Amino acid sequence: MASRRMDHSPGYLVARPVYSDPSFQEENERKEIVQTTVQEKLRKNCSCTSRRALLIVKSIFPILDWLPNYRWKEWFVNDLISGVSTGLVAILQGLAFALLAAVPVGYGLYSSFFPILTYFFLGTSKHISVGPFPVVSLMVGSVVLSMAPDEKFAILSNSTGLNKTVINTVARDAARVMVSGTLSVLIGIIQLLLGMFQIGFIVRYLADPLVGGFTTAAAFQVFISQIKTLLNVPTKNYNGVLSIIYTIIDIFKNIGQTNICDLIAGLLTLVVVIGVKELNDRYKHIIKVPIPIEVLVTIVATGISYGANLAQKYNAGIVKTIPNGFIPPMTPDVSLFSEMIGSAFSIGIVGYAVAVSVGKVYATKYNYAIDGNQEFIAFGISNIFSGAFSCFCATTALSRTAVQESTGGKTQIAGIISAFMVLIAIVALGRLLEPLQKSVLAAIVIANLKGMFWQVFDVPRLWRQNKWDSIIWVFTCIASILLGLDLGLLAGLIFGLLTIVLRVQFPSSGSLGNVPGTEIYKEVKKYKTVLEPEGIKIIRFTSAIFYGNIDGLKNAIKKSVGFDVVKVFNKRAKALRKIKKLIKKGQLRATKNGVISDVGTDNEGFEPDDDIEDLQKEESPEVKEVEIQVDWNSELPIKVSVPKVSIHSLIFDFGQIPFVDVVAVRSLKVKADAVK
């Protein structure tokens, strides 16, 4: 049956000489490589022509490349519709994500506006919507809360005749805005330096399983942080290791103080937003422009809160104050840099990785390229610029970017139009949102976490494809939940690198056999029909062979052949040395086919076992000159136990091995000699 199938399948025949390296070099002349001098390299790299200068300027300001080629008649209407839709979503998400960053909600509008202005000129992605992202906002919030906690601004008040501790919210909010703005500037400096020094490759170490586990853990932390806002229950602000556990305990302790008005508003918002988003996804082929449900819900909720006066009657938690217009630029507090440098680095890398990952998805879809180093520069300058205007760190949001692309956005023009929509909210409409309940914003945040929570279903798929990847995903997720996002990311990164070491240190291996009727070889332990050639073992090794895993190679060979090749080699070497001594004394005679003992000759060659180290020392040049051949599977004329071996050849499949070091070569040579 197998041969019949093979008769109808395409085949090939390869016929060529078998080359050794010297014979190949003799028949094929090598090219002469001309080494360039240092002066020539400097002259080439430092020379400046008008064309080279133009290319450099275009690489720094990509807008000079794409804007002159913009098709106004074809694209502008699409970008206009996309920009308006994205801007409306950005307004609501900016307010909501400000809660995560632990700053007044009005600063979320600034964070949705200023970063877009610089990215428009410097960015290389045509589709990402620049602004706050829940994971990054939560990481910023953890730094803000640790450096400006409520306890630091507690004051005594006796306005009612009783001494009571209250929080100076004005001073606290001002300090938190300063911390978040300073953090944004520091993040921007780090990103700018990484981009200038061409360190864009660093994001390669954030593998997809690691990012998936980290963002899922972050989504869980965002969910918990918004649950307390949804319930409007008092809790302490915890940071660091096990902070999420302490927050959950506080929520359950104070759950009896839940504000029913906020809970109902939040749950209704959550149900409506999730339901309409599902309709948008399911019928996106019919609904060309997604229903802006967040905007509609916000308008309705604000109207109800204002009309029913929920803050006064039911003590509902509302936004209260949104700044009207802009605030003057601030000078970052450089003295705080030393305290936040570690967190700034991790936040900057995560923000960059999220933005580039999302950008590459759409770049592949629409067939254009993203420059990783230029993205570092673009986000670095954006964060420095926006940090000076009291914004928190900017990256991109998956849901907002999806809105911009799905509504027909073609270029960064859509992004600048969305910034214009946010500008209108800042200068004119912000005050209208002051009666809005915070629980409604919390519900909008939770509704936008669905995609990140759904990443949990990647774990079974990863387990089937590569168990190590699924372990990295789970470890990073658990570590980020328990240790906090910054330490969890570091722990996941170290664990991921450790798994690479373990995979190299203990690579997989196996014996190969032939599939009958074909030239295909597969692992014997995986297939029932494969057959091993008689007297031959074919061993596949799947990693570079070097001093660190040479013992793994030895164990793989021992497991495949069924005996220790080195010990067999040592036994044979010892026996061969004794045979040579007897031949030299004339007590044995060597024939063409082996060694035969003379009749009646005592076996004076028997000696106690020598140390293995003596094998390389005691062989004299005179003995080496004796040409003999030994059949090791026959009876030997000396009293030395040499295992009988049914294998005459070892074949190594090293097709997946990138390099072999000197230690490995020596070890392979020993094993090759043992089976001769």
Side-chain angles (χ1 to χ4, degrees):
M1 181 71 72
S3 61
R4 189 175 302 169
R5 285 198 303 268
M6 289 302 297
D7 290 341
H8 296 283
S9 62
Y12 62 90
L13 176 64
V14 177
R16 66 167 178 82
V18 177
Y19 285 108
S20 63
D21 189 70
S23 63
F24 180 84
Q25 299 293 345
E26 183 178 347
E27 292 187 17
N28 298 272
E29 185 178 355
R30 296 175 65 94
K31 287 184 178 180
E32 183 179 355
I33 300 175
V34 180
Q35 297 290 340
T36 57
T37 63
V38 176
Q39 291 84 353
E40 290 174 340
K41 290 180 179 178
L42 289 174
R43 191 180 303 114
K44 181 180 179 181
N45 293 327
C46 297
S47 62
C48 184
T49 62
S50 58
R51 176 176 173 76
R52 186 186 181 103
L54 180 61
L55 291 175
I56 292 174
V57 172
K58 283 186 175 181
S59 67
I60 298 174
F61 298 98
I63 188 174
L64 298 177
D65 192 32
W66 63 264
L67 188 58
N69 300 317
Y70 186 79
R71 303 175 189 172
W72 291 93
K73 292 182 179 180
E74 297 179 36
W75 294 347
F76 183 72
V77 174
N78 290 327
D79 280 340
L80 179 62
I81 296 172
S82 174
V84 172
S85 302
T86 307
L88 293 174
V89 175
I91 293 169
L92 273 302
Q93 289 191 349
L95 295 172
F97 297 160
L99 298 176
L100 299 176
V103 296
V105 293
Y107 290 88
L109 295 178
Y110 300 147
S111 300
S112 299
F113 173 73
F114 285 105
I116 300 177
L117 302 182
T118 48
Y119 188 86
F120 176 73
F121 294 96
L122 302 171
T124 59
S125 174
K126 299 177 182 180
H127 292 89
I128 65 172
S129 175
V130 180
F133 178 58
V135 173
V136 173
S137 300
L138 185 67
M139 295 178 74
V140 170
S142 66
V143 177
V144 170
L145 291 175
S146 65
M147 299 184 69
D150 287 341
E151 296 78 13
K152 192 174 180 179
F153 303 94
I155 57 175
L156 288 175
S157 173
N158 58 357
S159 57
T160 59
L162 299 174
N163 289 333
K164 183 180 179 182
T165 301
V166 297
I167 304 298
N168 186 348
T169 56
V170 176
R172 181 200 64 186
D173 290 346
R176 289 180 175 179
V177 169
M178 173 60 72
V179 171
S180 67
T182 301
L183 179 62
S184 179
V185 171
L186 181 56
I187 291 170
I189 292 172
I190 292 172
Q191 291 177 328
L192 180 59
L193 291 175
L194 292 176
M196 292 174 62
F197 289 103
Q198 306 288 293
I199 314 294
F201 68 87
I202 195 172
V203 76
R204 298 175 191 169
Y205 293 97
L206 298 179
D208 289 345
L210 186 146
V211 173
F214 173 77
T215 52
T216 303
F220 179 74
Q221 293 220 13
V222 171
F223 175 77
I224 296 300
S225 70
Q226 295 308 289
I227 282 293
K228 65 181 183 181
T229 304
L230 190 73
L231 301 174
N232 195 7
V233 295
T235 61
K236 293 182 180 179
N237 294 317
Y238 298 100
N239 292 287
V241 179
L242 299 180
S243 59
I244 194 70
I245 306 299
Y246 298 139
T247 301
I248 294 173
I249 293 173
D250 264 11
I251 290 174
F252 278 103
K253 278 183 179 179
N254 300 316
I255 201 168
Q257 303 179 43
T258 299
N259 187 297
I260 302 301
C261 178
D262 284 331
L263 176 61
I264 293 174
L267 291 178
L268 286 174
T269 301
L270 190 62
V271 171
V272 171
V273 171
I274 291 179
V276 175
K277 278 182 172 291
E278 284 294 323
L279 290 176
N280 284 337
D281 290 340
R282 184 168 299 181
Y283 299 104
K284 59 184 177 182
H285 59 286
I286 299 175
I287 307 173
K288 299 300 181 182
V289 178
I291 302 172
I293 187 59
E294 292 100 333
V295 177
L296 298 178
V297 164
T298 301
I299 294 172
V300 172
T302 303
I304 292 174
S305 176
Y306 177 77
N309 198 12
L310 299 181
Q312 294 294 327
K313 291 183 178 180
Y314 303 101
N315 197 28
I318 61 173
V319 172
K320 289 184 180 179
T321 304
I322 295 180
N324 190 16
F326 294 101
I327 59 174
M330 70 166 198
T331 302
D333 189 350
V334 180
S335 63
L336 300 177
F337 279 5
S338 59
E339 298 180 51
M340 57 177 64
I341 181 68
S343 298
F345 186 83
S346 60
I347 295 171
I349 294 298
V350 171
Y352 169 80
V354 170
V356 171
S357 300
V358 175
K360 283 185 176 180
V361 171
Y362 293 105
T364 302
K365 182 176 180 180
Y366 292 97
N367 194 27
Y368 64 91
I370 284 183
D371 186 340
N373 291 309
Q374 179 61 25
E375 288 296 295
F376 253 139
I377 294 173
F379 277 103
I381 294 177
S382 293
N383 281 315
I384 293 173
F385 174 71
S386 58
F389 287 92
S390 306
C391 303
F392 49 91
C393 180
T395 174
T396 186
L398 282 68
S399 58
R400 198 167 60 246
T401 299
V403 170
Q404 181 166 315
E405 186 269 340
S406 62
T407 52
K410 300 294 183 183
T411 65
Q412 292 94 319
I413 294 289
I416 206 70
I417 293 173
S418 69
F420 180 75
M421 297 299 298
V422 178
L423 175 63
I424 294 175
I426 292 174
V427 299
L429 302 179
R431 291 289 178 89
L432 299 178
L433 297 174
E434 290 180 354
L436 179 64
Q437 290 172 268
K438 290 183 179 180
S439 63
V440 173
L441 294 176
I444 291 174
V445 172
I446 294 172
N448 281 282
L449 297 177
K450 186 192 74 169
M452 285 187 280
F453 278 129
W454 252 233
Q455 293 177 128
V456 172
F457 297 106
D458 290 343
V459 177
R461 176 181 59 81
L462 289 173
W463 182 263
R464 292 191 298 269
Q465 294 176 351
N466 189 313
K467 292 180 174 57
W468 281 112
D469 285 344
S470 65
I471 294 172
I472 291 172
W473 196 105
V474 173
F475 178 88
T476 305
C477 184
I478 295 175
S480 299
I481 290 174
L482 297 180
L483 303 180
L485 295 179
D486 48 356
L487 291 178
L489 178 63
L490 179 61
L493 182 60
I494 293 174
F495 182 76
L497 295 176
L498 179 62
T499 62
I500 295 175
V501 175
L502 292 176
R503 278 184 269 190
V504 173
Q505 191 82 17
F506 305 103
S508 61
S509 61
S511 298
L512 302 183
N514 178 249
V515 179
T518 73
E519 78 292 347
I520 299 173
Y521 287 80
K522 292 291 184 181
E523 287 193 41
V524 175
K525 64 182 180 182
K526 292 184 179 179
Y527 298 93
K528 296 180 180 179
T529 58
V530 298
L531 300 175
E532 293 186 275
E534 186 176 354
I536 300 174
K537 280 288 182 179
I538 306 173
I539 301 174
R540 173 178 288 169
F541 204 66
T542 60
S543 170
I545 307 177
F546 64 107
Y547 63 90
N549 67 0
I550 193 63
D551 288 336
L553 176 62
K554 293 177 182 178
N555 293 333
I557 296 173
K558 182 178 179 181
K559 183 178 179 181
S560 296
V561 302
F563 56 86
D564 192 326
V565 176
V566 175
K567 288 184 179 179
V568 171
F569 169 68
N570 291 333
K571 288 286 187 180
R572 288 184 178 182
K574 187 183 298 183
L576 186 61
R577 183 168 57 87
K578 294 176 180 179
I579 290 172
K580 288 180 178 180
K581 286 182 180 180
L582 293 175
I583 292 175
K584 185 177 179 182
K585 293 178 181 179
Q587 296 174 348
L588 291 177
R589 58 188 178 87
T591 66
K592 183 178 180 181
N593 296 323
V595 177
I596 302 175
S597 174
D598 287 340
V599 179
T601 303
D602 293 333
N603 184 5
E604 298 177 3
F606 174 73
E607 299 174 2
D609 286 351
D610 298 322
D611 292 335
I612 294 177
E613 295 179 358
D614 296 337
L615 296 175
Q616 299 175 350
K617 297 179 181 178
E618 296 185 7
E619 241 181 285
S620 65
E622 297 178 0
V623 175
K624 288 182 180 178
E625 292 176 358
V626 180
E627 295 292 341
I628 60 172
Q629 296 179 4
V630 179
D631 181 4
W632 296 106
N633 289 324
S634 64
E635 292 295 329
L636 298 179
I638 54 174
K639 295 180 180 178
V640 177
S641 175
V642 179
K644 292 179 171 58
V645 176
S646 60
I647 299 171
H648 59 74
S649 297
L650 278 180
I651 299 175
F652 293 101
D653 178 3
F654 285 172
Q656 301 181 34
I657 295 179
F659 68 88
V660 180
D661 72 352
V662 176
V663 177
V665 170
R666 290 175 182 169
S667 181
L668 290 172
K669 186 176 184 300
V670 170
K671 290 167 178 55
D673 292 339
V675 294
K676 285 183 179 178

